[in-house]
C-alpha cells in the first residue's frame, strides 16, 4: 500500500491524538492547554495561532470522534464519521510546499483552528485508508492491558500490537514462561 508522505504524517498524528485519551490508569494526554501546545509542537502542526481553552475543548472533541472511527464496525460507519468530521472542519484543499517538504495537500482552510486543521487533514488521511478498502488497518492493540490505537501498515495486515517491543514482546515472554512452567510441571 503506497501512502504519500503527508498522509503518513497525518495518520501518525491521528493515532497519537487518539492515544492521548484517558483509558484505564492512563491520564489524559490533553488535560490542559500546555499539553495541547506540546502536542502541536511535537507534531509540527503548521499554521496554528494562539491556543486557548476553547481550542483544547475542540481538540478533545475531535479526538473522541477519531476514536469512534477506530472503533467503527465497518467501512460505511467509518466513512460517515469521517465525512462528518471533514465537513464540520470546512475543508479547503490547497497545494503547499512548506518547511522543506515537497508539494503536498493541506485540507484545512487558511486560519482554521487547530481542531479543524487536524479534523480536515487527519480525516482525509483516514478517508484515504477507507477508500483504499483498508479500514481494517485501523486497529487497537490486542494486549489485554493496552488498547492503544495504531494503523497496521504491515504487508499482510498481521500486526496485533501497538508496539512489538513492548506489548508484543511482553505477551510473548509471558506465554513462553507459562509454557516452561507447565512443562516443568
Amino acid at each position: 500500500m503506497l501512502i504519500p508522505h503527508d498522509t503518513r504524517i497525518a495518520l501518525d498524528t491521528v493515532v497519537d491524538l487518539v492515544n492521548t485519551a484517558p483509558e484505564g490508569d492512563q491520564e489524559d494526554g490533553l488535560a490542559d492547554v500546555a499539553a495541547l501546545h506540546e502536542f502541536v509542537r511535537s507534531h509540527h502542526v503548521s499554521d496554528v495561532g494562539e491556543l486557548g481553552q476553547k481550542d483544547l475543548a475542540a481538540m478533545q472533541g475531535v479526538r473522541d470522534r477519531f476514536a469512534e472511527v477506530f472503533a467503527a464496525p465497518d467501512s460505511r460507519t467509518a466513512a460517515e464519521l469521517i465525512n462528518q468530521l471533514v465537513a464540520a472542519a470546512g475543508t479547503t484543499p490547497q497545494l503547499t510546499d512548506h518547511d522543506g517538504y515537497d508539494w503536498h495537500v493541506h485540507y484545512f482552510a487558511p486560519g482554521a483552528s487547530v481542531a479543524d486543521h487536524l479534523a480536515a487533514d487527519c480525516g482525509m488521511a483516514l478517508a484515504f485508508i477507507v477508500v483504499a478498502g483498508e479500514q481494517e488497518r485501523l486497529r487497537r492493540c490486542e494486549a489485554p492491558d493496552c488498547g492503544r490505537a495504531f494503523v497496521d501498515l504491515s504487508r499482510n495486515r498481521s500486526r496485533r500490537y501497538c508496539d512489538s517491543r513492548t506489548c508484543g514482546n511482553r505477551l510473548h515472554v509471558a506465554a513462553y514462561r507459562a509454557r516452561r512452567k507447565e512443562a516443568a510441571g
Side-chain angles (χ1 to χ4, degrees):
M1 174 174 197
L2 181 63
I3 298 177
H5 174 74
D6 54 319
T7 302
R8 178 59 195 257
I9 289 173
L11 289 171
D12 291 344
T13 301
V14 73
V15 164
D16 290 347
L17 179 61
V18 168
N19 288 335
T20 65
E23 288 187 29
D25 61 350
Q26 178 184 326
E27 293 184 20
D28 191 338
L30 282 181
D32 54 32
V33 175
L36 177 58
H37 274 284
E38 177 56 26
F39 184 88
V40 167
R41 185 202 61 74
S42 67
H43 289 84
H44 308 288
V45 180
S46 63
D47 197 26
V48 175
E50 190 64 34
L51 298 174
Q53 201 62 41
K54 182 179 172 184
D55 295 300
L56 176 63
M59 279 288 283
Q60 290 168 336
V62 167
R63 173 184 67 188
D64 293 345
R65 298 303 306 264
F66 280 136
E68 291 176 31
V69 173
F70 276 82
D74 54 54
S75 60
R76 179 161 307 283
T77 304
E80 289 171 7
L81 291 165
I82 293 166
N83 284 340
Q84 291 168 7
L85 268 163
V86 171
T91 60
T92 306
Q94 57 186 336
L95 287 168
T96 185
D97 66 341
H98 62 88
D99 298 330
Y101 294 110
D102 204 359
W103 289 107
H104 59 282
V105 179
H106 279 188
Y107 295 95
F108 58 93
S113 70
V114 67
D116 285 345
H117 177 137
L118 292 185
D121 271 3
C122 295
M124 290 306 296
L126 292 173
F128 175 81
I129 297 295
V130 172
V131 166
E134 302 286 353
Q135 189 248 335
E136 73 276 1
R137 290 182 182 272
L138 306 178
R139 298 201 176 151
R140 292 289 189 156
C141 183
E142 291 182 18
D145 58 342
C146 185
R148 292 174 55 87
F150 68 94
V151 179
D152 178 6
L153 296 177
S154 67
R155 268 195 172 165
N156 60 0
R157 298 173 193 88
S158 63
R159 188 170 160 199
R160 298 176 47 209
Y161 307 109
C162 63
D163 186 345
S164 61
R165 290 182 307 261
T166 55
C167 291
N169 192 42
R170 187 170 25 93
L171 289 176
H172 290 109
V173 168
Y176 171 76
R177 287 181 179 158
R179 286 190 307 273
R180 292 219 17 189
K181 183 177 181 180
E182 186 177 310

